Amino acid sequence: ETVIFLKSRAKVEEEYGRSLQKLAQHTLKSMDRPSVGHQSTQQVSWQRLVESHETLAANRMKFSITLSEMSDFLSNYVKTKETVRRKLRDTEQRYQKAIEESEALLEKARTKYEVQCGEWERLLLKTGGGKPETLTAAATSASGGAHSTSSSSAIAKTKNVGSAVSGIFGKHKGSTQESLERMGQEAGVKAKVANEAYKRLLQQTNTMRRDFYDVQLPKILASVMGLIEEVDQFLKFSLGKYAYTYESAILADAITLKPMDGAGLPGMVEMIGEIDSKADLDAYLMATAKNGGRINRASIPYKEYEMSTIARLYASPKRIFGVPLDTQLERDHQQVPLIIVKCADAVEAFGLQNEGIYRQSGQSSQVNKLRNEFDLDAEVVDLQVNSYISDINNVASVLKMYLRELPGGLIPAAQCSAMLAYFPAEDLDPGIAASADAAATMHHYDRDQDLGLAQKISGMASAVRSLPPPNRSTLAYLLAHLDKVQAFQEFNMMNSENLSIVFGPTILPAGNNPANAALDIRRSAKVVKFILDNRRAIFEAA
């Protein structure tokens, strides 16, 4: 724009100078005519005024030549610097293209890695069995948006392969599990190889990016900054020269071009002198950064493949059935096993008025299904779904199954023997009173009976007190739950005696002598009934 302006201004000044020169010469020629009398002071002044215009025209012609030379020189300078700028731009684009090609290869490697991991995950899921509906719902909720996108894309890519594998397994059901495990191992190896290739390309791409953003791009930007500063300084110099020449050429218009001191208005040189190239460049860069955004120079992070929650559970299940009580509570950071808490909550919410709760058994298939879900991860099991609350006996049965399979029982052998000692076999008589509380209510206890009850409560409290903390807290929670159940015995027909018959052999397992098995079961029921009838007194004393 400056070159065009200087060329146009040179043309305008040349035309103006020639027109002014022609006008002055014509005027002076007309003044050479013989005049009548002597010249007046007005004519002399006029002649001098016209001669001054002729001089002004010559100055304008000289000014036009100077402008034309400045325009040509500036045009050649701009062409030279434009060549340098294009070379810098081509260099930057060459590096950018190399990085884009490397990132494209990296994206292909990442896609292959996700496909291999998705295939491995699918085989893990097939090896672990079908997805339980409650685990599926919880896994879908826990996976998140970002995980769902990557997992769904990987699984979608392997859908056709999965259909083919399922067809083959349909023909060879006998070897399905073995084939799945072998294919799972092969898929794991492929996923590992794809992961290594992905990491290698990731490292290569990040190296190229660091070299570009940390070394090459700063050099290019420094060169561009130097070029900009040089062009700005030269332009400033050219404009200053133009201003000085212009002021010199039109000295008669100095008042307009360069006001007198004290006028408070800057002249053209002063205006040009106020140009601050650095401040202008900083403002331009700030506006560009605001509109175009910042360059992300950070390295591309490693993106680990995220398996679905169900796959992770099958790969690393949190077993509870057959696991010692203290081991699982320490692992899960719980005071009471979650299976007992969740089953008790479900029974209290939906089964307190269910006749024969804990006495009636659930469906074997549903109980085993629920057991398998708890044995993967008890935290994600949701017993509030319709499939479980429709038959609350399934929930009650899995709770009893857990207690039966608990290693060492809920009450260890030492405490079990101490409790059974208060109910010797020779004292078992079908005609014995239903409970100590019922007898006390009927006012039929004599002094010896009161002392016997107090002794039993004290002995039971001592045995409970000696229990390991995990067993004591779990027993207290379970008995509190059973106390709520018997509170609704009007509806569920499960009083303390019925509950003790169900939970006696579970809480206090029978001895190893088969001949005494029936007697041991009756004694265990008596112990559980006594503890349940006197729960508050026993645990307050413990």
Side-chain angles (χ1 to χ4, degrees):
E1 291 179 353
T2 305
V3 171
I4 295 174
F5 170 80
L6 291 177
K7 285 185 177 180
S8 300
R9 183 63 190 273
K11 184 177 181 181
V12 170
E13 291 295 332
E14 182 181 7
E15 292 175 355
Y16 173 73
R18 291 185 182 279
S19 299
L20 186 58
Q21 185 182 45
K22 183 178 180 181
L23 176 60
Q25 290 176 353
H26 178 74
T27 303
L28 288 175
K29 186 177 181 180
S30 64
M31 291 176 64
D32 287 342
R33 295 175 182 178
S35 57
V36 179
H38 64 279
Q39 291 182 330
S40 64
T41 57
Q42 182 181 10
Q43 291 175 334
V44 172
S45 298
W46 175 244
Q47 182 177 358
R48 291 177 178 176
L49 178 62
V50 173
E51 290 175 352
S52 65
H53 278 74
E54 188 175 20
T55 304
L56 182 60
N59 291 337
R60 290 304 180 95
M61 294 291 294
K62 183 179 179 180
F63 180 53
S64 173
I65 295 173
T66 303
L67 290 179
S68 180
E69 292 175 352
M70 289 176 59
S71 174
D72 294 338
F73 184 81
L74 185 59
S75 177
N76 293 332
Y77 178 84
V78 169
K79 290 179 181 179
T80 302
K81 299 306 175 183
E82 178 65 16
T83 301
V84 176
R85 187 193 66 82
R86 289 179 179 176
K87 288 182 179 180
L88 293 174
R89 182 196 62 188
D90 293 340
T91 302
E92 187 269 343
Q93 291 178 347
R94 186 167 62 254
Y95 278 104
Q96 286 281 14
K97 183 177 180 181
I99 291 176
E100 291 174 357
E101 292 174 352
S102 180
E103 288 178 348
L105 293 175
L106 175 62
E107 180 63 21
K108 292 181 179 179
R110 185 187 65 79
T111 301
K112 183 177 181 181
Y113 164 55
E114 289 188 350
V115 170
Q116 296 294 346
C117 288
E119 176 64 11
W120 184 26
E121 176 185 8
R122 187 186 61 77
L123 291 172
L124 277 175
L125 295 176
K126 281 187 173 291
T127 304
K131 299 180 181 178
E133 56 193 88
T134 58
L135 288 178
T136 303
T140 303
S141 174
S143 295
H147 160 69
S148 299
T149 304
S150 60
S151 297
S152 60
S153 62
I155 295 175
K157 295 177 182 177
T158 59
K159 183 176 181 182
N160 294 333
V161 178
S163 299
V165 173
S166 299
I168 296 174
F169 290 161
K171 299 178 181 179
H172 305 283
K173 295 182 179 179
S175 60
T176 298
Q177 188 65 23
E178 180 181 356
S179 300
L180 282 173
E181 291 177 354
R182 183 176 63 256
M183 292 179 69
Q185 294 174 0
E186 294 174 356
V189 172
K190 291 181 180 179
K192 181 178 180 181
V193 172
N195 184 30
E196 293 298 326
Y198 171 42
K199 288 182 177 180
R200 184 172 60 257
L201 282 175
L202 180 65
Q203 182 179 5
Q204 177 182 342
T205 302
N206 284 332
T207 300
M208 293 179 64
R209 286 169 60 86
R210 285 192 297 270
D211 177 66
F212 174 67
Y213 289 116
D214 296 340
V215 180
Q216 303 301 332
L217 184 59
K219 290 182 179 179
I220 295 173
L221 291 177
S223 300
V224 171
M225 289 289 294
L227 180 63
I228 292 174
E229 291 179 357
E230 180 182 353
V231 171
D232 285 346
Q233 291 297 328
F234 184 80
L235 180 60
K236 181 178 180 179
F237 168 77
S238 299
L239 292 176
K241 182 179 180 181
Y242 162 75
Y244 176 79
T245 305
Y246 186 44
E247 289 183 355
S248 300
I250 54 173
L251 186 58
D253 297 332
I255 301 300
T256 304
L257 299 178
K258 188 175 178 61
M260 299 293 292
D261 294 340
L265 299 175
M268 184 175 291
V269 174
E270 286 75 12
M271 292 181 182
I272 300 303
E274 292 178 357
I275 295 176
D276 189 346
S277 300
K278 189 176 185 306
D280 293 342
L281 179 60
D282 290 342
Y284 172 78
L285 292 178
M286 289 292 291
T288 303
K290 183 177 181 181
N291 296 330
R294 293 181 177 272
I295 298 177
N296 183 10
R297 299 175 54 185
S299 299
I300 300 176
Y302 169 71
K303 185 178 181 182
E304 182 180 2
Y305 180 82
E306 295 184 4
M307 285 188 177
S308 64
T309 302
I310 299 177
R312 290 199 303 271
L313 293 180
Y314 283 130
S316 301
K318 291 183 178 180
R319 305 291 186 190
I320 58 173
F321 281 84
V323 178
L325 183 62
D326 56 346
T327 300
Q328 57 179 288
L329 290 182
E330 181 179 0
R331 178 197 65 194
D332 299 336
H333 306 288
Q334 301 290 339
Q335 297 293 327
V336 178
L338 279 178
I339 184 173
I340 294 181
V341 174
K342 290 192 174 185
C343 290
D345 289 345
V347 170
E348 292 173 9
F350 306 105
L352 288 180
Q353 298 186 19
N354 190 63
E355 182 176 350
I357 187 67
Y358 285 120
R359 187 179 69 245
Q360 297 184 8
S361 301
Q363 297 181 7
S364 177
S365 60
Q366 293 297 319
V367 172
N368 289 331
K369 178 182 177 183
L370 186 55
R371 170 211 167 102
N372 292 335
E373 292 186 18
F374 271 112
D375 219 17
L376 286 177
D377 190 350
E379 291 186 6
V380 299
V381 177
D382 183 10
L383 296 180
Q384 306 299 319
V385 295
N386 293 331
S387 59
Y388 294 127
I389 63 177
S390 61
D391 189 356
I392 199 65
N393 292 319
N394 296 329
V395 178
S397 296
V398 80
L399 173 58
K400 294 185 294 182
M401 181 183 293
Y402 169 77
L403 293 173
R404 283 196 303 271
E405 298 183 15
L406 195 62
L410 181 57
I411 299 179
Q415 289 79 6
C416 183
S417 299
M419 292 178 178
L420 289 174
Y422 288 94
F423 295 89
E426 57 270 16
D427 290 348
L428 291 181
D429 184 359
I432 195 170
S435 69
D437 287 342
T441 304
M442 297 172 65
H443 303 285
H444 290 312
Y445 266 158
D446 56 18
R447 179 176 178 82
D448 294 337
Q449 288 175 325
D450 290 338
L451 292 175
L453 176 61
Q455 184 179 8
K456 287 182 179 180
I457 291 176
S458 176
M460 291 297 173
S462 177
V464 170
R465 190 184 309 114
S466 64
L467 287 173
N471 299 69
R472 185 168 61 250
S473 60
T474 302
L475 178 63
Y477 189 92
L478 177 63
L479 291 176
H481 165 64
L482 295 180
D483 199 13
K484 294 179 183 178
V485 173
Q486 75 165 347
F488 286 80
Q489 58 184 279
E490 178 183 354
F491 303 97
N492 56 38
M493 306 303 174
M494 295 298 291
N495 54 19
S496 62
E497 183 175 1
N498 291 333
L499 289 173
S500 65
I501 294 174
V502 174
F503 283 93
T506 302
I507 298 177
L508 289 87
N512 296 326
N513 189 354
N516 298 328
L519 187 59
D520 289 343
I521 290 175
R522 293 176 61 194
R523 294 176 68 195
S524 299
K526 289 296 182 181
V527 172
V528 172
K529 181 180 184 303
F530 182 82
I531 297 176
L532 191 57
D533 288 339
N534 301 276
R535 180 180 66 87
R536 294 185 181 276
I538 292 174
F539 279 90
E540 287 177 0

